[in-house]
Amino acid sequence: MSTFAAEDGRTIGELRALYDAGEATPVDAVEAALGRIERDGGDAGLRAFAHLRADQAREEAESAARRLAAGTPLSPLDGVPVAVKSMVAMAGMPQDAGSRVLEGRYPDRDATLVGALKEAGAVIVGTTTMDEFALTTLGPARNPFDRTRTAGGSSGGSAAAVHAGMCFAAIGTDTGGSVRIPAACCAVVGLKPTYGLLPTDGIIPLAWSLDHAGPIGRTVADVAAMFGVLLSGVTGSDSGGGSGGFGFGAGAANGSGPAAGLGGMRIGIPSDEYLGIAEPHLLADFRTALAAAADAGAEVVRIELPDQEQVKAVHWPVLSAEMAAYHLRRFGASENRYNAPMKDGISAGATVTTEEYLTAQRGRPVLRAKVDAALSGVDVIALPTMAVDPPELGRTEVDLDGRPEDAVAAMVRLTSLANHTGHPAVSVPPGTAPAGRPAGVQLIGRHYDERRLLSVAAGLEALG
């Protein structure tokens, strides 16, 4: 009888090794994941899952076990328990996007990314909780390090589930940082790919011109495997072995080897003034990681990025106007069923004039050009993922640089830039991170250069 337990921190690569050795089966892995979810239920739980599909998951695990026994796995994710954010369409499952407005909504077809997971043999155990319609970054999922604090958002349920061993990877969405922020809050890895690289059909939009979908996993290698499978499901190309086609072998899975890949890499960081509005201990953690990367052979150089207030001035008009346009056109009669943040956001978005929206959109190529210029001399740009610690549950303001600031605005301060420019970005806990609390370094790469981006992320992950 297998002694496998999902919460023991194993990676996808290690799970596959257990499968190959006959020491565990997909049935074992799915039962362990479902058991972990059940044990975490109740008021004291992480609140990571919105809906389970236990019966279907068990049937799919048995099918995967038969394929593995016959030596015909469909992909690196065949038989691996995964999860999907609840705004992503899955046939026969509720697609409520964390809102009462969509109670009773059951799509009759899968989003393209869900179809890719199913075709790859991944076992989707359920859908994860999220902030209503992905607007905020404050819950409802609880932080696995401190349950009085948020797991981040809006993909907080996905990140908390991955950290807690309820699944090995999950799909999240990211409009201003909602894959990377919960990844940092929960000390896992979250990738926002290049804009448009992974399709968002079947995913309820927040702001169409900013929305991305991306994978969350325990390690860079896990995220690479998930990303490779999703991309191959979209393009029809071979995802390329156990590493998802991104060149990560066993060394990346067990934490050895990738740090050597930092040698010769040029990592750009902005000026101290740019990073000045952030918690001092988060900046100290960031600088420790970059110093270790330099010791491992990377060259750390200064670059110029768009001013944060300039990014903010572009972000909120675009997001709120697109959000309001979508919701007022479809759900205007349901206004009283929205939670307060959505009501306020829709009302604010409805006041954005056409001129204000177009002015903000015209500012985006300026942001992109400045990031492209910075990347012309470096391999990646590095920033802290978060300027603040995960806020306490229910707290809507935080202290930042000695003054109160809206908690959501503070949390997206360093992440929303890449949504406007479309560059791929990943949050990774560096190997130098202090034990017992979450951490994340954000890396931004060139368009369509996820391979290099994930390689540098793997190097940071292996430091220590």
Side-chain angles (χ1 to χ4, degrees):
M1 183 176 183
S2 172
T3 58
F4 174 81
E7 61 264 38
D8 63 7
R10 286 194 175 106
T11 66
I12 291 173
E14 291 166 340
L15 177 62
R16 298 220 62 82
L18 290 176
Y19 288 171
D20 293 343
E23 297 178 12
T25 71
V27 174
D28 298 325
V30 167
E31 289 298 340
L34 293 173
R36 178 71 182 89
I37 296 167
E38 182 179 356
R39 289 193 299 276
D40 193 64
D43 291 341
L46 290 177
R47 300 177 182 169
F49 272 86
H51 306 283
L52 293 180
R53 57 192 301 272
D55 292 342
Q56 300 97 315
R58 289 185 172 108
E59 292 175 3
E60 291 166 7
E62 290 174 355
S63 297
R66 290 192 290 271
R67 289 192 294 271
L68 269 61
T72 56
L74 297 175
S75 81
L77 293 187
D78 200 356
V80 175
V82 300
V84 173
K85 189 174 180 178
S86 64
M87 69 194 302
V88 183
M90 193 182 334
M93 287 291 288
Q95 188 187 16
D96 55 27
S99 178
R100 293 176 297 172
V101 172
L102 294 184
E103 283 180 349
R105 178 183 177 123
Y106 287 78
D108 58 7
R109 59 184 297 180
D110 293 329
T112 294
L113 297 184
V114 169
L117 289 177
K118 289 182 177 180
E119 290 175 10
V123 180
I124 303 172
V125 295
T127 61
T128 54
T129 57
M130 56 177 285
D131 301 69
E132 185 177 30
F133 286 109
L135 176 61
T136 60
T137 57
L138 300 175
R142 290 171 168 157
N143 195 294
F145 289 87
D146 179 352
R147 297 192 183 196
T148 68
R149 295 180 178 271
T150 179
S154 60
S155 307
S158 292
V162 167
H163 181 277
M166 299 173 184
C167 58
F168 282 79
I171 289 178
T173 65
D174 191 311
T175 305
S178 290
V179 162
R180 291 158 288 156
I181 289 168
C185 288
C186 297
V188 292
V189 181
L191 171 68
K192 181 199 78 65
T194 303
Y195 180 75
L197 189 56
L198 294 182
T200 56
D201 66 284
I203 300 176
I204 296 169
L206 174 58
W208 68 270
S209 70
L210 301 175
D211 290 343
H212 300 65
I216 297 173
R218 292 180 185 170
T219 65
V220 175
D222 284 0
V223 163
M226 181 81 153
F227 178 55
V229 163
L230 292 172
L231 193 58
S232 67
V234 171
T235 64
S237 61
D238 183 2
S239 65
S243 62
F246 281 85
F248 295 102
N254 64 24
S256 63
L262 290 173
M265 288 291 178
R266 288 172 58 85
I267 301 175
I269 61 171
S271 65
D272 289 339
E273 290 78 12
Y274 191 93
L275 298 174
I277 305 179
E279 295 286 355
H281 65 275
L282 296 179
L283 289 179
D285 292 346
F286 173 73
R287 290 175 178 133
T288 297
L290 269 293
D295 289 342
E299 182 182 359
V300 179
V301 300
R302 293 288 183 179
I303 50 123
E304 292 295 326
L305 288 179
D307 181 79
Q308 291 179 37
E309 293 305 314
Q310 180 185 5
V311 178
K312 188 176 180 179
V314 169
H315 182 67
W316 294 109
V318 172
L319 186 151
S320 58
E322 292 182 1
M323 176 185 67
Y326 176 83
H327 283 272
L328 290 173
R329 187 165 63 249
R330 288 165 176 78
F331 309 121
S334 301
E335 179 180 354
N336 291 332
R337 303 185 72 192
Y338 287 107
N339 292 333
M342 276 297 298
K343 283 183 186 178
D344 294 344
I346 292 170
S347 296
T351 69
V352 177
T353 66
T354 301
E355 181 180 358
E356 289 170 335
Y357 175 74
L358 293 176
T359 297
Q361 285 285 18
R362 283 195 291 267
R364 293 178 65 182
V366 178
L367 301 180
R368 174 170 173 166
K370 194 151 192 176
V371 175
D372 282 339
L375 283 165
S376 67
V378 298
D379 294 288
V380 297
I381 296 166
L383 293 164
T385 308
M386 297 252 294
V388 294
D389 289 319
E392 296 173 350
L393 293 168
R395 187 174 178 184
T396 58
E397 281 191 348
V398 295
D399 182 83
L400 190 58
D401 196 32
R403 56 183 171 79
E405 181 165 339
D406 177 81
V408 175
M411 293 172 80
V412 305
R413 176 176 283 274
L414 297 173
T415 54
S416 61
L417 172 62
N419 293 89
H420 287 279
T421 66
H423 291 88
V426 62
S427 179
V428 57
T432 55
R437 64 177 172 87
V441 170
Q442 179 186 193
L443 300 174
I444 301 172
R446 300 183 188 115
H447 289 99
Y448 305 105
D449 198 6
E450 280 80 0
R451 185 186 301 272
R452 187 192 312 260
L453 180 70
L454 291 174
S455 179
V456 177
L460 289 181
E461 179 183 61
L463 294 172

